[in-house]
Amino acid sequence: MHLPRGIAMALGATSLMAFASPFLAEIPAARAAVAEAGAGAAHPDMWPTRTATVARDPAVERRVDALIAAMSLEQKVGQIIQADIASVTPDDVYHYHLGSVLNGGNSDPGGRYNAPAKDWLAAADAFYAASMKPDGKLPRIPVMWGSDAVHGHNNVVGATLFPHNIGLGAARNPDLVRRIGAATAIEMRVTGLDWTFAPTLAVVRDDRWGRTYEGFGETPEIAASYAAPLIEGLQGRIGDKDWLRGPHIIATAKHFLGDGGTAGGKDQGDARMPEAQLRDLFSPPYLPALDAGVQSVMVSFSSWNGAKMHGNGSLLTGVMKERWNFDGFLVGDWNGHGQVAGCTTTDCPQSAIAGLDMYMAPDSWKELYRTTLAHARDGTLPVTRLDDAVRRILRVKVRAGLFEAGKPSSRPYGGQFDLLGSREHRALAREAVRESLVLLKNAGGLLPLKPGANVLVAGDGADNLTKQTGGWTLSWQGTGTKRSDFPNAQSIWEGIDADVRAAGGSATLAVDGHYVRKPDVAIVVFGEDPYAEFQGDRPDVGYDDAKNLALLRSLKAAGVPTVAVFLSGRAMWVNPFLNASDAFVAAWLPGSEGGGVADVLFGKADFRGKLPYSWPRSSDQTDVNVGDADYDPLFPYGFGLTFADKGDLAPVPEERANAAAADPGLLFAAGKPGKGRSLLLGAPGALSTNPGPDLIEARAADRAAQEDSVRLRWTGAGPAVAAIVQDTPVDLSRQANGDLALELELKVDAPPSAGVSLLMGCGARCAGGFPIRPVLAEAAKTGKWTRIAVPLRCFEKAGVDMTRVETPLSLATSGTLDLILSAARIVSPSGPQLACK
Ligand code: BGC
Ligand code: BGC
């Protein structure tokens, strides 16, 4: 369902006025620019020096110089901009001379999250062809395509999915990650892509962070030991003939700098610490990465001492380029430049001036191109800096042989689809799973299990590839996938079943744990649902899961020995689960090869994994790190039992420290507003919980359960509003930048008799929204439950200040209307959305 283009524009100002007076107008002239004088200025001479390991090839430099001399200014500006395939066409790449495209986590060829591999290759060919199409005398410069292949080529159906970095960190095996890099590069080549936004070299200090699993661990040592082998696996070795080409691709070290050190583990937050600490904790992995020849570095969304990295010249230029002699290019993160003080996503010369070489401007590229061109013309962006950025990008393209490579499908491995999830790659992934598992408890030496046993497999993670593969899998959040999206994969249950059957035993799957014949042992697989980035930020590290806890306890009560297999993207407080199980395995996010779990549980291999993150003693022990003065985790960094160890564990306290804080995305569900929010009704400007029935009334209604919804009925006696109002304003700017949407589930029983507005409010005289009468009228016709999703960015465009939303949802009309609302959420949308432009 799409709103006709222009509707929002046409109606925005006038019709909203009538209903929205309590919220409206006077949108702050500009967001107050934070004064950052002095904050975040580094002293490069405090940082180690580094000599370049990639020799400057005079032939490459001459060629780049010649290209630059022949390029138009427009072409140079286009070269430093990267657009997302959801918002750019091959034609655009041609006309705007764009240097690069990417697919964000939710962007896929044809807009299908499970688009077949051949569609990826065809899209790569189309973008390449557009970049090479003749254009007068201008030199032709091949486009490069970047993708987050962060645990294998995870955006593509059928690819091998390796354990997320947290599991690889547990393996402590640099040779393993080298081979994983090489396999990932080949699978990317199959689909015609030449550049991965990996590895993440974050040193993660607070496990509340939603990207904890993207980091290898809490110390700089693990990431530092992995950086070079992984990058060499991906890119090949400096000096080799197939460096950056053939079976190899271009890698990215990210996110520079301090991404894992933000206060409170907040994604895109602020690392508040002295310079020496920033240097000593977070920068060590970058040195081996540079020494191994990594050709791009992604700038972090985060800040250091209040100043956004995307504007930090002292670190981007002073340290990375000058002190460390990095001669590849710095790519930005998803509209990250827009967060620099004084910038917007479409206008930010500050970032390039600070040292950014390529803007990641997914949807903002066109307007950014226009403003950047203007800045280049008037000298705001000095041409020397522009040329330097272009030179760095071209240097990498020449080094990678892109000018000679031909169209992606004609390059080595292009179109060899049987290499996606090949037997060899899957065997490697299975080996990685075996090495990643950490055994935390093994009472009475329950493990290894006898493969001839009668085994019950239970828990909602047992046969669940969505959970097992985690975020950054086919979709950004890793949610919304189904079994058939994983043709080359084995769930943990499938792996156990195969191993046990091969050994003459019998295994039974019952997610809820029921059984007829009492099993010899039960394996219960459970854990976190997938998430990515800030969507995964948590108020603490307590793991709550009443269902699987009850399951473990009932099995124990029945005298069945239990093995808990815990899937998670971080170390979590699981004390009640530890008490309720005889053996406990931290399995992280293992990826496509569930068989690797079976191999170890049944003793084909011993446990080798060691904790890459200290395991918390309480649910509020969120930032416990080895080396802390008062270090007191439940299991220390480096802990991990083997079969030979005595694995008993005395009962641990079960009291949970923190109650979970409000979920920023939950506006209304289960018949009531989300925590920290109220449902208010009434005439504009006079909202209350219970205004009397004259204008509008709210009554509990049923959808799937008793009173799980609310019926809202507008009488038509005058303008009236139903709104979800915050107790305290909420900052939804990251959610808006992350392409999240306001999603409503409703059923319209009587169509609107007049215009209806869907609004968000941001304090006195600050609001914006859209007319949605046509959508509601349409829903009334079907009489069915309808899902309506509006991108948050549309509200931003309509004038809402996303940094201080007070009313995340309001519906206003002066006509009659009767609808039932069952849910309102801010989510990463999994279906069609209304268009706002
Ligand atoms: C993430 C990056 C990622 C990029 C492109 C950003 O939001 O922070 O890690 O590479 O999106 O998907
Ligand atoms: C994209 C991700 C990106 C994120 C930024 C999502 O919509 O798909 O790739 O990292 O937005 O927050």
Side-chain angles (χ1 to χ4, degrees):
M1 208 175 341
H2 284 276
L3 277 186
R5 277 166 190 272
I7 266 198
M9 300 295 160
L11 286 152
T14 47
S15 67
L16 297 191
M17 246 345 179
F19 319 119
S21 48
F23 315 122
L24 249 189
E26 202 176 281
I27 293 144
R31 281 185 198 169
V34 193
E36 285 175 357
H43 304 82
D45 53 2
M46 277 179 57
W47 296 62
T49 51
R50 179 188 161 265
T51 12
T53 44
V54 183
R56 281 282 173 83
D57 178 343
V60 171
E61 300 303 312
R62 271 197 305 275
R63 181 158 182 194
V64 169
D65 284 341
L67 284 166
I68 292 177
M71 285 168 83
S72 66
L73 193 65
E74 289 76 6
Q75 220 180 353
K76 291 178 182 175
V77 170
Q79 195 58 215
I80 68 165
I81 292 180
Q82 179 184 56
D84 183 276
I85 61 163
S87 311
V88 75
T89 62
D91 254 9
D92 293 328
V93 165
Y94 175 73
H95 286 293
Y96 294 89
H97 317 284
L98 300 180
S100 179
V101 296
L102 87 147
N103 66 287
N106 278 334
S107 312
D108 309 83
R112 289 170 57 197
Y113 78 95
N114 53 7
K118 67 170 177 35
D119 292 9
W120 287 82
L121 186 60
D125 275 352
F127 283 114
Y128 170 81
S131 68
M132 299 306 276
K133 191 170 116 189
D135 187 354
K137 286 207 176 72
L138 295 178
R140 297 297 71 205
I141 300 170
V143 72
M144 55 198 286
W145 179 333
S147 185
D148 294 283
V150 298
H151 64 129
H153 192 11
N154 45 65
N155 283 288
V156 177
V157 170
T160 310
L161 300 167
F162 295 94
H164 270 291
N165 288 351
I166 190 170
L168 299 182
R172 306 285 209 285
N173 184 345
D175 171 65
L176 178 73
V177 301
R178 178 189 301 276
R179 290 183 285 138
I180 289 175
T184 303
I186 287 182
E187 296 204 9
M188 285 189 85
R189 282 292 183 198
V190 168
T191 60
L193 273 49
D194 33 37
W195 176 21
T196 178
F197 301 132
T200 296
L201 298 178
V203 176
V204 183
R205 304 297 286 179
D206 190 318
D207 297 10
R208 282 174 286 189
W209 192 30
R211 308 191 78 161
T212 300
Y213 65 87
E214 294 188 61
F216 294 113
E218 71 190 28
T219 61
E221 285 79 22
I222 304 185
S225 74
Y226 277 4
L230 183 46
I231 287 162
E232 287 183 350
L234 290 162
Q235 295 196 347
R237 284 186 212 248
I238 303 167
D240 283 0
K241 276 240 283 287
D242 61 4
W243 187 50
L244 309 174
R245 50 183 94 185
H248 298 126
I249 51 161
I250 296 159
T252 309
K254 74 184 188 184
H255 309 82
F256 185 75
L257 185 67
D259 51 354
T262 59
K266 192 170 150 53
D267 191 44
Q268 304 181 17
D270 187 15
R272 291 172 207 147
M273 61 189 68
E275 185 168 356
Q277 191 179 347
L278 182 76
R279 179 194 63 199
D280 298 342
L281 262 183
F282 302 99
S283 83
Y286 284 89
L287 294 166
L290 295 177
D291 286 350
V294 75
Q295 290 295 289
S296 76
V297 172
M298 189 183 290
V299 178
S300 183
F301 264 129
S302 55
S303 307
W304 172 48
N305 290 341
K308 282 284 166 185
M309 281 301 302
H310 276 70
N312 196 321
S314 64
L315 289 166
L316 303 187
T317 302
V319 172
M320 180 53 79
K321 292 181 175 175
E322 292 174 1
R323 194 79 174 161
W324 288 351
N325 276 301
F326 172 59
D327 73 354
F329 67 91
L330 289 173
V331 61
D333 200 348
W334 194 269
N335 276 329
H337 55 271
Q339 300 182 1
V340 174
C343 286
T344 64
T345 55
T346 54
D347 190 358
C348 188
Q350 289 92 322
S351 281
I353 292 168
L356 186 78
D357 301 307
M358 184 186 282
Y359 290 88
M360 188 186 288
D363 52 340
S364 50
W365 60 269
K366 196 185 280 186
E367 191 57 17
L368 182 74
Y369 169 87
R370 208 182 54 74
T371 59
T372 308
L373 186 57
H375 296 311
R377 285 200 177 118
D378 70 14
T380 311
L381 173 58
V383 73
T384 46
R385 176 71 268 274
L386 177 62
D387 281 356
D388 174 58
V390 173
R391 175 171 290 108
R392 288 164 173 276
I393 294 165
L394 295 183
R395 180 181 287 138
V396 173
K397 288 184 175 183
V398 173
R399 281 176 176 164
L402 282 186
F403 287 82
E404 290 73 45
K407 61 176 180 175
S409 60
S410 72
R411 300 176 193 169
Y413 306 97
Q416 292 188 32
F417 298 117
D418 53 343
L419 290 175
L420 287 175
S422 69
R423 180 191 292 264
E424 194 188 327
H425 293 171
R426 291 187 59 192
L428 174 60
R430 186 167 177 151
E431 177 186 341
V433 174
R434 284 197 294 267
E435 298 210 353
S436 69
L437 306 175
V438 181
L439 181 60
L440 297 179
K441 175 179 180 181
N442 191 19
L446 177 62
L447 296 179
L449 302 174
K450 286 176 217 44
N454 165 22
V455 183
L456 174 71
V457 181
D460 64 345
D463 192 24
N464 188 335
L465 280 154
T466 302
K467 261 192 143 124
Q468 181 178 320
T469 51
W472 296 108
T473 305
L474 299 182
S475 66
W476 176 37
Q477 295 295 318
T479 48
T481 52
K482 47 187 192 304
R483 180 64 183 91
S484 55
D485 296 329
F486 300 92
N488 300 321
Q490 197 176 39
S491 72
I492 293 173
W493 148 249
E494 290 162 351
I496 293 172
D497 186 39
D499 276 13
V500 169
R501 260 193 295 143
S506 83
T508 317
L509 173 70
V511 169
D512 66 1
H514 77 272
Y515 53 83
V516 185
R517 185 159 69 96
K518 189 173 163 190
D520 300 329
V521 63
I523 301 171
V524 182
V525 189
F526 59 98
E528 289 189 293
D529 286 320
Y531 50 79
E533 302 191 49
F534 53 84
Q535 289 286 90
D537 286 0
R538 296 282 175 269
D540 63 25
V541 291
Y543 176 74
D544 304 300
D545 176 353
K547 238 196 195 147
N548 286 302
L549 182 58
L551 175 57
L552 280 167
R553 283 177 175 158
S554 71
L555 288 163
K556 202 177 172 67
V560 178
T562 50
V563 180
V565 175
F566 182 54
L567 301 172
S568 74
R570 55 187 125 218
M572 298 190 86
W573 178 79
V574 287
N575 284 10
F577 300 82
L578 281 165
N579 289 342
S581 47
D582 297 292
F584 193 102
V585 178
W588 318 113
L589 302 168
S592 58
E593 304 315 313
V597 176
D599 292 347
V600 180
L601 294 184
F602 291 92
K604 277 195 195 162
D606 200 346
F607 282 91
R608 291 197 38 177
K610 304 292 170 206
L611 286 180
Y613 291 96
S614 305
W615 199 274
R617 177 174 292 285
S618 62
S619 54
D620 59 356
Q621 202 183 38
T622 59
D623 54 352
V624 54
N625 296 301
V626 62
D628 289 354
D630 48 355
Y631 188 57
D632 183 29
L634 184 62
F635 301 109
Y637 177 81
F639 182 85
L641 300 167
T642 64
F643 292 142
D645 294 317
K646 205 171 134 33
D648 296 317
L649 180 71
V652 283
E654 299 204 353
E655 206 140 301
R656 199 189 189 296
N658 276 350
D663 171 354
L666 190 91
L667 305 186
F668 186 89
K672 52 182 193 300
K675 201 171 162 198
R677 307 182 149 120
S678 329
L679 173 63
L680 302 183
L681 310 170
L687 302 185
S688 68
T689 40
N690 189 4
D694 298 351
L695 290 172
I696 178 169
E697 62 175 344
R699 272 166 196 267
D702 305 344
R703 180 179 179 182
Q706 203 177 358
E707 304 204 347
D708 64 351
S709 303
V710 62
R711 174 181 294 279
L712 298 168
R713 208 176 56 79
W714 280 259
T715 64
V721 180
I724 300 285
V725 181
Q726 293 283 133
D727 295 351
T728 51
V730 61
D731 180 353
L732 295 176
S733 55
R734 290 184 308 169
Q735 285 82 345
N737 186 37
D739 277 353
L740 266 56
L742 169 63
E743 197 172 82
L744 309 178
E745 284 176 46
L746 46 78
K747 185 155 102 56
V748 183
D749 284 343
S753 66
V756 184
S757 299
L758 173 64
L759 297 150
M760 276 197 184
C762 33
R765 305 176 62 74
C766 174
F770 315 87
I772 57 156
R773 182 182 183 180
V775 181
L776 297 181
E778 193 58 38
K781 266 194 230 151
T782 68
K784 293 198 177 115
W785 283 98
T786 308
R787 178 190 150 277
I788 297 173
V790 186
L792 291 187
R793 206 177 286 131
C794 295
F795 289 98
E796 200 169 32
K797 277 194 187 140
V800 178
D801 179 350
M802 284 293 169
T803 63
R804 50 182 185 100
V805 174
E806 286 185 5
T807 312
L809 166 62
S810 106
L811 281 167
T813 180
S814 48
T816 57
L817 171 64
D818 186 349
L819 61 79
I820 305 179
L821 177 72
S822 73
R825 297 192 187 87
I826 289 164
V827 291
S828 180
S830 52
Q833 304 180 56
L834 301 184
C836 62
K837 50 162 195 200

